[in-house]
Amino acid sequence: MNKNAKIVVGVVGASGYVGGELLRYLSGHPEVEIAAMTGSSQQGQAVESLFPNLKGIVEGPLTEADYDALGRSCDLVFSSLPHGISQEPVAQLLKAGARVIDMGADFRLRDAAVYEKWYGLPHQQRDLLAEAVYGMPELHSEQIKTARLVANPGCYPTASLLALLPLKGKLTGTVIVDAKSGVSGAGRSANVGNLFTEVSENFRAYGVGTHRHTPEIEQVIEHKVVFTPHLVPMTRGILATVYASSSIEDLLPHYRNFYADHPFVKVLEDLPCTKAVAGTNFCHLTVRSSSEPGLSVIISAIDNLGKGAAGTAVHNLNLMFGLDPLTGLDRAAVYP
Amino acid sequence: MNKNAKIVVGVVGASGYVGGELLRYLSGHPEVEIAAMTGSSQQGQAVESLFPNLKGIVEGPLTEADYDALGRSCDLVFSSLPHGISQEPVAQLLKAGARVIDMGADFRLRDAAVYEKWYGLPHQQRDLLAEAVYGMPELHSEQIKTARLVANPGCYPTASLLALLPLKGKLTGTVIVDAKSGVSGAGRSANVGNLFTEVSENFRAYGVGTHRHTPEIEQVIEHKVVFTPHLVPMTRGILATVYASSSIEDLLPHYRNFYADHPFVKVLEDLPCTKAVAGTNFCHLTVRSSSEPGLSVIISAIDNLGKGAAGTAVHNLNLMFGLDPLTGLDRAAVYP
Amino acid sequence: MNKNAKIVVGVVGASGYVGGELLRYLSGHPEVEIAAMTGSSQQGQAVESLFPNLKGIVEGPLTEADYDALGRSCDLVFSSLPHGISQEPVAQLLKAGARVIDMGADFRLRDAAVYEKWYGLPHQQRDLLAEAVYGMPELHSEQIKTARLVANPGCYPTASLLALLPLKGKLTGTVIVDAKSGVSGAGRSANVGNLFTEVSENFRAYGVGTHRHTPEIEQVIEHKVVFTPHLVPMTRGILATVYASSSIEDLLPHYRNFYADHPFVKVLEDLPCTKAVAGTNFCHLTVRSSSEPGLSVIISAIDNLGKGAAGTAVHNLNLMFGLDPLTGLDRAAVYP
Amino acid sequence: MNKNAKIVVGVVGASGYVGGELLRYLSGHPEVEIAAMTGSSQQGQAVESLFPNLKGIVEGPLTEADYDALGRSCDLVFSSLPHGISQEPVAQLLKAGARVIDMGADFRLRDAAVYEKWYGLPHQQRDLLAEAVYGMPELHSEQIKTARLVANPGCYPTASLLALLPLKGKLTGTVIVDAKSGVSGAGRSANVGNLFTEVSENFRAYGVGTHRHTPEIEQVIEHKVVFTPHLVPMTRGILATVYASSSIEDLLPHYRNFYADHPFVKVLEDLPCTKAVAGTNFCHLTVRSSSEPGLSVIISAIDNLGKGAAGTAVHNLNLMFGLDPLTGLDRAAVYP
């Protein structure tokens, strides 16, 4: 790649919220050129009418996805296709020569049997599954740099794992992750349950004991986790309240030390809140002791579409192309 | 009807927000027995799972609508079918002997040609259109008492007309109705534009110059109206800000006098707010002079599903069956 | 008391959200007459301007509190004074002959030393503390019937305890209560942290390990509890997600059986949501097994101002005066 | 100024929402160095605790304001003091050699008598009032470039005037501006009326006929305006619905032409919404004909803290220091 040339990227599945958020981040990234935006059902529609915030910033119609052509013309393709749908396109993109960051769940679980159990589908690309790097930069930055295929982590796993990673290998007893998410995590599909009328002034749990992000968290932390997601009447943000016992005594300095070289994870003294990280790739977290000896309460806040999806994907792009990790990701959240 | 017997009612189209709101009001009405709840697409589903607030209060499955049987077994049927769909069912219900309150738009416009122009459909029941009483109790309480068929007013027309009725016949110049509604006015159908994510922290106008409630307002007030609806990030409520010139000088006493005998319209000194009337059949309104001589600003607040739909329907039931208008409608809004 | 006479009640501290909610419930209660509404800082102000939902329903100025006169003229007084302030007024009201339901925290903790530790104040009325009945109807209905002084439970304890009561005496290991509340729980005082701008599109934990409702929960359930409250961007509602291990195997029938005779607690198969109980005295709850053997997840939803405050207070009034528990409390929530 | 040196700026009154928003924009501006942040009541407090979004981006304590020192050390000072308070500090800053952008109302109204009538205060700096340039870049870009003192426009005037400027001199009849704003326009002071509980699920008008932005709009457009502000349950954004008659026939091309060289004003075919411009300096607007001949409906959307305050201030900075107007202001809004 020419030193002055921009990184040519494509966004597959650009009509959803993750796709739109990728376009927003990429439009503010100085080293990137968006060469293609594809959408299946929304094909032909102007991206600035789907995302009115992009008016005058990223414009043009969504096109049909020709994975071979896309893979040949792009340095990197972000695939924002639903799980179960992305395996074949990812294979084609890689074969045509592009590197790929898959935003979905298809390449996150190492064990195809676990994938099949939780997603109810056989895995069609087991070789790629073996090759894929789980794209959590706080864990695998070296492998990400050279990866052809990065499996971008799920939003809940990101919030949960950033709270748990410093305790990995030292956990004792049951870990409970009580997580709360804004509605954008459910995507942009029309659904009565996500209407404003149903969500506003309402709070509820869902997927208790059955959410598909459970095995992803357990795979990384290598410990049993009881995971309960909840729906918050807000658009963006995840706050994970994690109850964990460990052999570590003084947690705050341990967490500070652990994340000292990770620019997107800020260990606070104050309790974090989701609004302070909305629209960004930052994670705010802190730790507290509980009245139960040895049991800590770790609280982490991210933007599910940012650090939980598109922000980490851009962070991974920066790693894959040798850029400063903060490139295109250095702006503060809008507050209030 | 036996003096002690309850009024037997049916609710057709009980799966929508207006249908659910009718069930809620009727469940708290001492003189009513709900004999039937029908739903087309949601048939067989328990009403308390569609409306979890009805758990332990109104329970049971939605049934298929047999209009002949329904019309024979009920004293009164509320029809909450979409416009264009309700004409034939209403005719059947009347023929079978029930009185009917139609919640939709099909019997509100006196002139079939105006209906066809705005709704794009020919009217199939012109005799019934001629017979139907426009069910605004502040205007037609005597006709409502004896009506077989009541056309329940639209939500925007209710808010707009309550602001304008005291000036009817005395208006000069253009009347502007700048109206703002909560999202429940759009109904319960899955629609990307009404997702929480799209509505929260957002405000916009829609249907500028083209909204179908315009001819309904103009028909009643007998004056040209420029009507602009807006979508507010809230679930319930309409606030109409009405700019009108008239020959009347001292508006507040005039409004107080006009509404003195109408128990659901409260003329305030303070500016009204939607939250104070949410979940009720009350309208709060006030008037202010503007810096333009003769131009007044009238501001009215209602609940679009209450005074703008189900509340007025129950008010009409009370009139049709000789009850105190406040029966089942006397409770205060929940605040905050 | 004359059989046809109404119960004469007073509301002390009627300018706050709990006071306003009491007025709303009492205005819809057929056996109650509101004889007095007092407010300290808001004295002289019309209650319908403080609570615009009460316009035309409960009107008149807040008056100064003369506890002796109030105690003599009322059958029952609700005291909604802040903790630390209510002890002396409650003593005066009782001495003057009224029965009292105290809405605050001053008479909830049996042990004055525990009160002093958590509230930082010595208790001035230890005899009354010994006499007070903890007013949770699902636990103490017999004592409430004859009580002179009822200590109305806190909002978080109500949600938490209704989830835990069926397991009392059978709990093993740490109990974790991860609770989420709407903002009205913080009261009506001006506070930057509770501005719309700070709360909307935001989610955070607060008072981790230090919230004063912890000892109240532990006192009743007689078990150590790790309690974490969170602030939800909504006005009303608490959802408590409770993680508890017990020796009971089949939890759902056990819960159904436990609450069979308690009309305000509905054990659902579905997961509960706060909106379905907002503005009411109902509690919706359900239980789920977790992947950890023996560990259950119990989820309860209430309105913090309803079942968590004013609703239970009216339930207690009904018990204290021999009325059907549902009197004035039988209406469905407004949904959506 | 050295070609490579950054522009040294100070922010006076950095603890409010406008101050915090200035810090956010300035932190992403490549040519600016923030040399001072002052706050009166919040002095000594870390700015990243007041604005948790600034954690790791802009940190440090607010200091006391020494206007002489500030004026000597800064190229430009933004003054975010309340009206009535900023006149003397602005005079000191200018005297000490800094250029000043005043965010408040003190230098916007050309006529001191009008200021005194609407703000109830005599004006203490009439010479500076005469010198001040009204900082609307779409109107006065040349004067702004060389101004010592820029009076940054109010939020409502910005939304209203951008809708009206293309019609200036051609307006006939009464102009009605029905404007709707998010709550952040009210600032960060504790106030019961702006609590989440009071604002959420509520919509109301306020200041009908009395709002202080009325004379500011009229001064610029040189036409009588009836102005009605409303409070929307959202944090950011103003949507102005403007009803105006003019002699111009085909409005959309006229507006497109008028704003062709103004990069922050986007004339759309679609109706604008506030969310698409939140957190930015963009204005989205469109025009529609009404059913009344000659009467147009013009709808504009801005962020009250962005284009309505801090965004325009940074735009003015860019003009004053010869930079590309888009510098630091080119990022898309976060959506959804």
Side-chain angles (χ1 to χ4, degrees):
Chain A
M1 195 174 69
N2 181 318
K3 210 120 201 234
N4 294 318
K6 297 220 171 181
I7 304 159
V8 178
V9 305
V11 176
V12 169
S15 64
Y17 286 145
V18 170
E21 189 69 348
L22 277 166
L23 295 177
R24 183 179 73 83
Y25 276 111
L26 295 170
S27 73
H29 192 294
E31 307 296 334
V32 159
E33 179 195 330
I34 303 170
M37 311 176 283
T38 80
S40 47
S41 53
Q42 318 271 1
Q43 199 183 308
Q45 223 175 316
V47 75
E48 72 272 22
S49 76
L50 289 169
F51 297 103
N53 59 321
L54 298 180
K55 178 77 187 170
I57 290 168
V58 184
E59 299 199 338
L62 298 190
T63 59
E64 195 177 3
D66 174 339
Y67 298 113
D68 184 54
L70 207 59
R72 278 186 281 111
S73 61
C74 291
D75 299 309
L76 175 68
V77 177
F78 298 91
S79 170
S80 289
L81 298 172
H83 69 83
I85 308 290
S86 70
Q87 297 167 25
E88 176 60 20
V90 163
Q92 287 182 50
L93 290 163
L94 290 169
K95 198 173 163 199
R99 297 167 84 180
V100 174
I101 298 178
D102 185 53
M103 308 300 293
D106 277 0
F107 296 96
R108 291 180 195 153
L109 296 173
R110 306 230 61 77
D111 184 340
V114 174
Y115 177 84
E116 294 184 22
K117 178 186 162 199
W118 284 85
Y119 288 88
L121 298 165
H123 205 289
Q124 311 285 1
Q125 299 286 346
R126 300 197 174 207
D127 289 353
L128 291 179
L129 188 59
E131 180 189 341
V133 173
Y134 186 72
M136 182 163 278
E138 287 77 11
L139 205 59
H140 298 137
S141 64
E142 287 310 309
Q143 299 97 306
I144 291 165
K145 285 176 186 169
T146 57
R148 277 206 316 160
L149 172 55
V150 168
N152 216 61
C155 52
Y156 281 127
T158 298
S160 306
L161 289 168
L162 291 175
L164 284 166
L165 284 183
L167 303 182
K168 188 172 174 178
K170 287 140 196 160
L171 290 162
T172 57
T174 311
V175 168
I176 289 172
V177 176
D178 191 281
K180 300 87 174 173
S181 176
V183 190
S184 60
R188 206 181 196 177
S189 49
N191 180 319
V192 169
N194 294 330
L195 291 175
F196 183 89
T197 41
E198 302 286 328
V199 171
S200 177
E201 289 293 322
N202 204 357
F203 187 87
R204 59 182 177 87
Y206 67 100
V208 179
T210 64
H211 197 283
R212 286 160 167 170
H213 282 169
T214 312
E216 187 179 335
I217 302 169
E218 291 182 336
Q219 167 182 284
V220 176
I221 203 64
E222 297 172 3
H223 197 92
K224 167 74 90 53
V225 168
V226 172
F227 174 65
T228 312
H230 300 75
L231 190 68
V232 184
M234 65 182 183
T235 295
R236 284 168 180 253
I238 289 178
L239 192 110
T241 310
V242 178
Y243 301 87
S245 295
S246 76
S247 51
I248 296 174
E249 294 223 342
D250 205 358
L251 253 66
L252 196 59
H254 176 70
Y255 271 69
R256 288 230 164 96
N257 192 52
F258 187 91
Y259 284 120
D261 298 330
H262 295 283
F264 294 108
V265 183
K266 309 282 185 195
V267 180
L268 314 179
E269 298 219 27
D270 292 341
L271 292 166
C273 69
T274 60
K275 197 169 197 162
V277 295
T280 80
N281 191 45
F282 294 107
C283 172
H284 285 184
L285 63 77
T286 198
V287 288
R288 289 284 190 277
S289 309
S290 83
S291 56
E292 188 76 17
L295 181 69
S296 299
V297 185
I298 311 125
I299 302 178
S300 62
I302 64 166
D303 179 346
N304 54 303
L305 293 176
K307 183 70 175 162
T312 284
V314 173
H315 187 176
N316 284 330
L317 171 152
N318 288 341
L319 293 174
M320 292 165 86
F321 291 86
L323 303 173
D324 181 320
L326 281 155
T327 314
L329 296 171
D330 56 346
R331 294 285 177 92
V334 173
Y335 187 96
Chain B
M1 197 174 69
N2 181 319
K3 203 105 206 251
N4 294 318
K6 297 219 172 181
I7 303 160
V8 178
V9 305
V11 176
V12 169
S15 65
Y17 286 146
V18 170
E21 189 70 347
L22 277 166
L23 295 178
R24 183 179 73 83
Y25 276 111
L26 295 170
S27 73
H29 193 293
E31 307 296 334
V32 159
E33 178 193 333
I34 303 170
M37 311 175 283
T38 80
S40 48
S41 54
Q42 318 271 1
Q43 200 181 307
Q45 222 174 317
V47 76
E48 73 272 23
S49 76
L50 289 169
F51 297 103
N53 59 321
L54 298 180
K55 178 75 186 174
I57 290 168
V58 183
E59 300 198 337
L62 297 190
T63 59
E64 195 176 3
D66 174 339
Y67 299 113
D68 184 55
L70 207 57
R72 279 184 281 112
S73 60
C74 292
D75 299 310
L76 175 69
V77 176
F78 298 91
S79 170
S80 288
L81 298 172
H83 68 84
I85 308 291
S86 70
Q87 297 166 26
E88 177 60 22
V90 163
Q92 287 182 49
L93 290 163
L94 290 168
K95 197 173 164 200
R99 297 166 84 179
V100 175
I101 297 178
D102 185 52
M103 309 299 292
D106 277 0
F107 296 96
R108 292 180 194 152
L109 297 173
R110 306 230 61 77
D111 184 340
V114 174
Y115 177 83
E116 294 185 22
K117 178 186 161 199
W118 284 86
Y119 290 87
L121 298 165
H123 205 289
Q124 311 285 0
Q125 299 286 345
R126 299 195 174 207
D127 289 354
L128 290 179
L129 188 59
E131 179 188 342
V133 173
Y134 187 72
M136 181 161 280
E138 287 76 11
L139 206 59
H140 299 137
S141 63
E142 286 310 309
Q143 299 96 306
I144 291 165
K145 285 176 185 170
T146 57
R148 276 207 316 161
L149 171 57
V150 169
N152 216 61
C155 52
Y156 280 125
T158 299
S160 307
L161 290 168
L162 292 174
L164 284 166
L165 284 183
L167 303 182
K168 189 172 174 178
K170 288 140 197 159
L171 290 162
T172 58
T174 313
V175 169
I176 290 173
V177 175
D178 191 281
K180 300 88 175 173
S181 175
V183 191
S184 60
R188 205 182 196 175
S189 49
N191 181 318
V192 169
N194 294 330
L195 291 176
F196 183 88
T197 42
E198 303 286 328
V199 171
S200 177
E201 289 292 324
N202 205 357
F203 187 86
R204 59 183 177 87
Y206 67 100
V208 180
T210 64
H211 197 284
R212 286 160 169 170
H213 283 168
T214 312
E216 187 179 336
I217 301 170
E218 292 182 336
Q219 166 181 286
V220 176
I221 203 65
E222 296 172 3
H223 197 92
K224 166 76 89 56
V225 168
V226 172
F227 174 64
T228 312
H230 300 76
L231 190 68
V232 185
M234 64 182 184
T235 295
R236 285 170 182 252
I238 289 178
L239 191 109
T241 311
V242 178
Y243 301 87
S245 294
S246 74
S247 52
I248 296 175
E249 295 222 343
D250 206 357
L251 253 66
L252 197 59
H254 176 69
Y255 271 69
R256 287 232 165 93
N257 193 50
F258 187 92
Y259 285 120
D261 297 329
H262 295 282
F264 293 108
V265 183
K266 309 283 185 195
V267 180
L268 314 178
E269 298 220 26
D270 292 341
L271 291 166
C273 69
T274 60
K275 198 170 197 160
V277 295
T280 79
N281 191 47
F282 294 106
C283 172
H284 285 183
L285 64 77
T286 198
V287 288
R288 291 282 191 277
S289 308
S290 83
S291 54
E292 189 76 17
L295 181 68
S296 300
V297 185
I298 311 125
I299 303 177
S300 63
I302 64 165
D303 179 345
N304 54 302
L305 293 177
K307 183 70 175 162
T312 284
V314 173
H315 187 175
N316 283 331
L317 171 151
N318 289 341
L319 293 173
M320 291 165 85
F321 291 87
L323 303 172
D324 182 320
L326 281 155
T327 314
L329 297 170
D330 55 347
R331 295 286 176 93
V334 173
Y335 188 96
Chain C
M1 197 173 69
N2 182 319
K3 218 138 185 224
N4 295 318
K6 297 219 170 181
I7 303 160
V8 179
V9 305
V11 176
V12 169
S15 64
Y17 286 146
V18 169
E21 189 70 348
L22 277 166
L23 295 178
R24 183 179 73 83
Y25 277 110
L26 295 170
S27 73
H29 193 295
E31 307 296 335
V32 158
E33 179 195 332
I34 303 171
M37 311 176 284
T38 80
S40 47
S41 54
Q42 318 271 3
Q43 199 183 310
Q45 223 174 317
V47 75
E48 73 273 21
S49 76
L50 290 169
F51 298 103
N53 59 321
L54 298 180
K55 179 75 186 173
I57 290 169
V58 183
E59 300 199 337
L62 298 189
T63 59
E64 195 177 3
D66 174 338
Y67 299 114
D68 183 56
L70 207 57
R72 278 185 280 113
S73 60
C74 292
D75 298 310
L76 175 69
V77 177
F78 298 91
S79 170
S80 287
L81 298 172
H83 69 83
I85 307 291
S86 69
Q87 297 167 24
E88 177 60 21
V90 163
Q92 287 181 48
L93 290 162
L94 290 169
K95 197 172 163 201
R99 296 166 84 178
V100 175
I101 297 178
D102 184 53
M103 308 299 292
D106 277 1
F107 296 96
R108 292 179 194 152
L109 297 173
R110 307 230 60 77
D111 184 340
V114 174
Y115 177 84
E116 293 185 22
K117 177 185 163 200
W118 285 85
Y119 289 87
L121 299 165
H123 205 290
Q124 311 285 359
Q125 299 286 345
R126 300 195 173 207
D127 288 353
L128 291 179
L129 188 59
E131 179 188 341
V133 173
Y134 187 72
M136 181 163 279
E138 287 76 12
L139 205 61
H140 298 135
S141 63
E142 287 309 310
Q143 298 97 307
I144 291 164
K145 285 176 185 169
T146 57
R148 276 207 316 161
L149 172 56
V150 168
N152 216 62
C155 53
Y156 280 126
T158 298
S160 307
L161 290 169
L162 292 174
L164 284 166
L165 283 183
L167 303 182
K168 187 171 174 179
K170 287 139 196 160
L171 290 163
T172 58
T174 313
V175 169
I176 289 172
V177 175
D178 191 282
K180 300 88 174 173
S181 175
V183 190
S184 60
R188 205 181 197 177
S189 48
N191 180 318
V192 169
N194 295 330
L195 290 176
F196 183 89
T197 42
E198 302 286 328
V199 171
S200 178
E201 290 292 324
N202 204 357
F203 187 86
R204 59 182 177 87
Y206 67 100
V208 179
T210 64
H211 197 284
R212 287 162 168 168
H213 283 168
T214 312
E216 188 180 334
I217 302 170
E218 291 182 335
Q219 167 183 286
V220 175
I221 203 65
E222 296 173 2
H223 197 92
K224 167 73 90 58
V225 169
V226 172
F227 174 65
T228 312
H230 299 76
L231 190 69
V232 185
M234 65 183 183
T235 295
R236 284 170 181 252
I238 289 177
L239 192 109
T241 310
V242 178
Y243 301 88
S245 294
S246 74
S247 52
I248 297 174
E249 295 221 343
D250 207 357
L251 253 65
L252 197 59
H254 176 69
Y255 271 68
R256 287 229 165 95
N257 193 51
F258 187 91
Y259 285 119
D261 297 330
H262 295 282
F264 293 108
V265 183
K266 310 282 185 195
V267 181
L268 314 178
E269 298 220 24
D270 292 341
L271 291 165
C273 68
T274 60
K275 199 170 194 159
V277 295
T280 79
N281 191 46
F282 295 107
C283 172
H284 285 184
L285 63 77
T286 197
V287 289
R288 291 283 191 276
S289 307
S290 82
S291 55
E292 189 76 18
L295 181 69
S296 300
V297 185
I298 311 125
I299 302 178
S300 62
I302 63 165
D303 179 345
N304 54 301
L305 293 178
K307 182 71 174 162
T312 284
V314 173
H315 187 174
N316 284 330
L317 171 153
N318 289 341
L319 293 174
M320 291 164 86
F321 290 86
L323 304 173
D324 183 319
L326 282 155
T327 314
L329 297 171
D330 56 347
R331 295 286 176 92
V334 172
Y335 187 98
Chain D
M1 196 172 72
N2 182 317
K3 207 115 202 238
N4 295 317
K6 298 220 169 179
I7 303 159
V8 179
V9 305
V11 176
V12 169
S15 64
Y17 285 146
V18 170
E21 189 70 349
L22 277 166
L23 295 178
R24 183 179 74 82
Y25 276 110
L26 295 171
S27 72
H29 192 293
E31 307 296 335
V32 159
E33 179 196 330
I34 303 170
M37 311 176 283
T38 79
S40 47
S41 53
Q42 318 270 0
Q43 198 183 311
Q45 222 174 318
V47 76
E48 72 272 22
S49 77
L50 289 170
F51 297 103
N53 60 322
L54 298 180
K55 178 76 187 171
I57 291 168
V58 183
E59 299 199 336
L62 297 190
T63 59
E64 196 176 2
D66 174 338
Y67 298 113
D68 183 56
L70 208 58
R72 279 186 279 112
S73 60
C74 291
D75 298 311
L76 175 68
V77 177
F78 298 92
S79 170
S80 288
L81 298 173
H83 69 83
I85 308 290
S86 70
Q87 297 168 24
E88 176 60 22
V90 163
Q92 287 182 49
L93 290 163
L94 290 168
K95 197 174 164 198
R99 296 167 84 179
V100 174
I101 298 178
D102 184 52
M103 308 299 292
D106 277 0
F107 296 96
R108 292 180 195 153
L109 296 173
R110 307 229 60 78
D111 184 339
V114 174
Y115 177 84
E116 293 184 23
K117 178 186 162 198
W118 285 86
Y119 290 87
L121 299 165
H123 204 291
Q124 312 285 0
Q125 300 286 345
R126 299 196 173 206
D127 288 353
L128 291 179
L129 188 60
E131 179 188 341
V133 173
Y134 187 72
M136 182 164 279
E138 288 76 13
L139 205 59
H140 298 136
S141 64
E142 287 311 309
Q143 299 98 305
I144 292 165
K145 285 176 187 169
T146 57
R148 276 205 318 159
L149 171 56
V150 169
N152 216 61
C155 52
Y156 280 126
T158 297
S160 307
L161 290 169
L162 292 174
L164 284 167
L165 284 183
L167 303 182
K168 188 172 173 179
K170 288 138 195 161
L171 290 162
T172 57
T174 312
V175 169
I176 289 173
V177 176
D178 191 282
K180 300 87 174 174
S181 174
V183 190
S184 60
R188 205 182 197 177
S189 48
N191 180 319
V192 168
N194 294 329
L195 291 175
F196 183 89
T197 41
E198 302 286 328
V199 171
S200 177
E201 290 291 324
N202 204 357
F203 187 86
R204 59 182 176 86
Y206 68 100
V208 179
T210 64
H211 197 282
R212 287 162 168 169
H213 283 170
T214 312
E216 187 179 335
I217 302 170
E218 292 182 335
Q219 166 181 286
V220 176
I221 202 63
E222 296 172 2
H223 197 93
K224 166 74 88 59
V225 169
V226 172
F227 174 64
T228 313
H230 300 76
L231 190 69
V232 185
M234 65 183 183
T235 295
R236 283 171 182 253
I238 288 177
L239 192 109
T241 310
V242 177
Y243 301 87
S245 295
S246 75
S247 51
I248 296 174
E249 293 222 343
D250 206 358
L251 253 65
L252 197 59
H254 176 69
Y255 272 69
R256 286 231 165 94
N257 193 52
F258 187 91
Y259 284 120
D261 298 329
H262 295 283
F264 294 108
V265 182
K266 311 280 185 196
V267 180
L268 315 179
E269 298 220 26
D270 292 339
L271 292 166
C273 68
T274 59
K275 198 170 195 160
V277 295
T280 79
N281 191 45
F282 295 107
C283 172
H284 285 184
L285 64 77
T286 197
V287 288
R288 291 282 191 277
S289 308
S290 83
S291 55
E292 189 75 16
L295 181 68
S296 300
V297 185
I298 311 126
I299 303 178
S300 62
I302 64 165
D303 180 345
N304 53 302
L305 293 178
K307 183 69 173 162
T312 284
V314 173
H315 187 176
N316 284 331
L317 172 152
N318 289 341
L319 293 173
M320 291 165 85
F321 290 86
L323 303 173
D324 183 320
L326 281 155
T327 314
L329 296 171
D330 56 347
R331 296 286 178 90
V334 173
Y335 187 97

